[in-house]
Amino acid sequence: MSEATPTVPEPTEHSSDEAIDPCVAAGLPGAPHEKLQAFEGTWDAAVQFWMQPGADPVPSQGTMVNEWILGGRFLEQRYESDFMGSPFHGRGLFGYSQLDQRYEGFWVDTMSTGMLIESGSYDESTRTFTMLGQVTNPADGQVMRKKTIITVESETRHTMAMHFSEGEPEEFWKCMEIVYTKR
């Protein structure tokens, strides 16, 4: 059961002479969480997926529902679609670590038994999140670097592009692109 909140709650106010415990401060949502507000709601997803570099894209349509949980600390992501004739479901969390001063994402879905964890930053000038992680290539068991670029284009549209890289030099190829349109 989720506890949806329309906006990120304001951090708890403390008087200037009152010292706030560092553990308490690290647990409060803050200004960086407000950047995630752009993703709250229900979104139609138009997906293109490339199985390997140079391959033709495989199209798909889906729905993403993002809701605030745990007092505005995390966005819970629920995704559903059909992919290549089979149902596809994914779940994720997106948040900001006050301790580590970075955005963090967690993702699991029905195409893998692995848990994808990535972290990154936000560029205010381009309204872009750049997230980095790694994943094991199921074809050969080698670790691939992963880069996800999420761009907030407007209040009703954002894009997500996922790239992978193997070997040296680091050359990323696009694996997936999703255009999200808010309902």
Side-chain angles (χ1 to χ4, degrees):
M1 190 174 287
S2 69
E3 53 178 89
T5 0
T7 58
V8 177
E10 292 295 319
T12 305
E13 295 294 326
H14 296 277
S15 67
S16 59
D17 61 347
E18 180 183 345
I20 184 169
D21 182 286
C23 292
V24 172
L28 296 174
H33 290 84
E34 294 172 10
K35 305 297 183 213
L36 300 175
Q37 182 61 35
F39 305 114
E40 189 273 335
T42 300
W43 302 80
D44 292 318
V47 181
Q48 297 218 56
F49 187 82
W50 291 266
M51 297 292 203
Q52 60 187 17
D56 290 334
V58 177
S60 177
Q61 301 289 320
T63 302
M64 176 74 88
V65 178
N66 297 321
E67 294 180 314
W68 288 107
I69 63 170
L70 302 174
R73 287 165 176 82
F74 303 95
L75 268 179
E76 178 183 52
Q77 304 169 307
R78 296 184 315 274
Y79 185 83
E80 294 187 11
S81 72
D82 285 320
F83 182 71
M84 298 178 66
S86 297
F88 176 82
H89 303 277
R91 299 291 182 265
L93 294 175
F94 197 14
Y96 182 81
S97 169
Q98 297 283 29
L99 283 176
D100 297 322
Q101 302 289 296
R102 66 182 183 202
Y103 288 92
E104 296 178 332
F106 168 82
W107 184 258
V108 293
D109 60 44
T110 55
M111 285 185 66
S112 174
T113 57
M115 298 179 186
L116 177 62
I117 299 169
E118 47 187 5
S119 62
S121 61
Y122 176 74
D123 181 335
E124 185 76 45
S125 66
T126 60
R127 298 181 71 189
T128 300
F129 294 83
T130 301
M131 306 293 287
L132 301 172
Q134 62 183 31
V135 63
T136 301
N137 184 339
D140 62 13
Q142 297 299 306
V143 173
M144 297 187 298
R145 289 175 299 285
K146 179 181 178 291
K147 177 172 26 176
T148 304
I149 300 169
I150 307 165
T151 304
V152 178
E153 297 178 3
S154 71
E155 291 181 13
T156 59
R157 180 182 162 108
H158 65 273
T159 59
M160 188 274 289
M162 184 187 316
H163 301 79
F164 291 117
S165 178
E166 295 179 275
E168 300 295 335
E170 190 166 74
E171 294 180 21
F172 284 91
W173 57 276
K174 188 188 295 187
C175 169
M176 182 170 26
E177 182 175 85
I178 305 176
V179 176
Y180 291 99
T181 305
K182 194 167 193 175
R183 286 190 184 168

